[in-house]
């Protein structure tokens, strides 16, 4: 059986990457999202096991020690990581898997998987627009927003190392571009 594709999507916090990916997955139910593990606190609108597997710092560190994670990284003071087993099982069953992860984890996946993965970076139209979106989302304090914007500037520098870049200035257009990359541009 032909193996599934491993697709890594990154982009600054607030760029809308989760929305772009979920719209894409509504159209392509044959492809699947990897659900990450995190030690960050659950937000009001989130569900354990749907948005993330929410864990304590200690539980997360146990998963690291047991080699249960394909990759992990610290972001804004919390751990985030990709459960290895679920990804490997789906890929071996011919299912394309999308990881929506930050840049350190993405680079680690690239180093491990080489040409067996594709990295896609979603860019905001501008930094001002990104700031507006983070404020409007209303999930972070101003301190946390400033911190996320600092991280965003550094992430955008790393985006040079990605295979493809998409500017999210129009949601439908961004979804179409993602579709074109996954279905037509990679093997
Ligand atoms: P948030 O706190 O906004 O949900 O996520 C913060 C950042 O962590 C986002 O850039 C998100 O893509 C990233 N992230 C989510 N899951 C993972 C993961 O499993 N591994 C890594 N390296 N980053 C992740």
């Amino acid at each position: 059986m032909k193996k599934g594709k491993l697709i890594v999507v990154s982009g600054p916090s607030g760029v809308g990457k989760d929305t772009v990916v979920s719209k894409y997955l509504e159209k392509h139910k044959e492809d699947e999202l990897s659900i990450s593990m995190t030690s960050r606190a659950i937000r009001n609108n989130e569900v354990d096991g749907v948005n993330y597997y929410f864990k304590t710092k200690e539980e997360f560190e146990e998963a690291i020690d047991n080699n249960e994670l394909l990759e992990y990284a610290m972001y804004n003071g919390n751990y985030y990581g990709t459960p290895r087993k679920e990804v490997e099982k789906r890929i071996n069953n011919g299912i394309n898997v999308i990881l929506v992860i930050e840049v350190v984890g993405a680079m680690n996946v690239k180093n491990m998987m080489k040409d067996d993965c594709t990295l896609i970076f979603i860019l905001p139209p501008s930094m001002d627009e990104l700031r507006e979106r983070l404020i409007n989302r209303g999930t972070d304090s101003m301190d946390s927003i400033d911190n996320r914007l600092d991280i965003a500037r550094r992430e955008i520098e790393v985006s040079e190392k990605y295979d493809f870049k998409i500017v999210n200035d129009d949601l439908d257009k961004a979804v179409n571009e993602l579709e074109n990359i996954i279905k037509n541009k990679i093997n």
Side-chain angles (χ1 to χ4, degrees), residues 17 36 40 43 52 71 75 80-82 100-102 148:
K17 56 189 183 298
S36 297
R40 111 155 134 62
R43 294 178 186 146
Y52 285 104
E71 62 73 38
Y75 178 96
Y80 294 82
T82 305
V100 183
I101 64 176
E102 53 67 65
R148 281 174 189 262

Side-chain angles (χ1 to χ4, degrees), residues 9-14 17-18 34-38 40 43 46 51-52 60 71-76 78-83 99-106 137 140 148 155:
V9 175
S10 304
S13 179
K17 56 189 183 298
D18 294 304
S34 157
I35 300 173
S36 297
M37 202 185 268
T38 184
R40 111 155 134 62
R43 294 178 186 146
E46 290 179 326
N51 302 89
Y52 285 104
F60 199 106
E71 62 73 38
Y72 71 93
M74 214 26 154
Y75 178 96
N76 211 15
N78 295 302
Y79 283 121
Y80 294 82
T82 305
L99 313 185
V100 183
I101 64 176
E102 53 67 65
V103 293
V104 175
R137 189 165 79 173
D140 291 274
R148 281 174 189 262
E155 286 176 331

Side-chain angles (χ1 to χ4, degrees), residues 5 9 17 32 51 56 70 74 77 94 103 111 141-142 152 158 182 187:
K5 301 168 189 173
V9 175
K17 56 189 183 298
E32 293 184 7
N51 302 89
T56 62
L70 181 67
M74 214 26 154
V103 293
N111 286 336
S141 65
M142 279 318 283
V158 183
I182 296 175
N187 298 313

Side-chain angles (χ1 to χ4, degrees), residues 9-117:
V9 175
S10 304
S13 179
V15 79
K17 56 189 183 298
D18 294 304
T19 314
V20 173
V21 169
S22 68
K23 280 243 165 197
Y24 167 82
L25 289 171
E26 274 171 27
K27 282 170 92 176
H28 291 284
K29 298 203 186 324
E30 71 281 10
D31 295 349
E32 293 184 7
L33 183 70
S34 157
I35 300 173
S36 297
M37 202 185 268
T38 184
S39 66
R40 111 155 134 62
I42 188 165
R43 294 178 186 146
N44 276 340
N45 56 343
E46 290 179 326
V47 178
D48 189 18
V50 175
N51 302 89
Y52 285 104
Y53 298 109
F54 292 94
K55 303 284 178 193
T56 62
K57 191 168 163 278
E58 291 69 30
E59 286 170 336
F60 199 106
E61 286 171 349
E62 209 177 302
I64 298 173
D65 290 345
N66 293 337
N67 200 22
E68 287 170 32
L69 302 173
L70 181 67
E71 62 73 38
Y72 71 93
M74 214 26 154
Y75 178 96
N76 211 15
N78 295 302
Y79 283 121
Y80 294 82
T82 305
R84 178 194 300 281
K85 257 197 202 148
E86 290 181 29
V87 173
E88 288 177 350
K89 196 170 90 192
R90 289 153 160 183
I91 298 276
N92 288 333
N93 285 333
I95 298 170
N96 296 338
V97 179
I98 304 184
L99 313 185
V100 183
I101 64 176
E102 53 67 65
V103 293
V104 175
M107 288 299 129
N108 287 338
V109 173
K110 189 78 201 172
N111 286 336
M112 258 183 305
M113 313 290 289
K114 312 278 184 230
D115 289 342
D116 288 336
C117 71

Side-chain angles (χ1 to χ4, degrees), residues 123-133 149 156 167-168:
L123 287 160
S126 68
M127 287 307 285
D128 281 349
E129 174 71 28
L130 187 63
R131 190 166 192 276
E132 280 302 301
R133 289 186 197 175
L149 287 172
I156 289 171
V167 177
N168 185 20

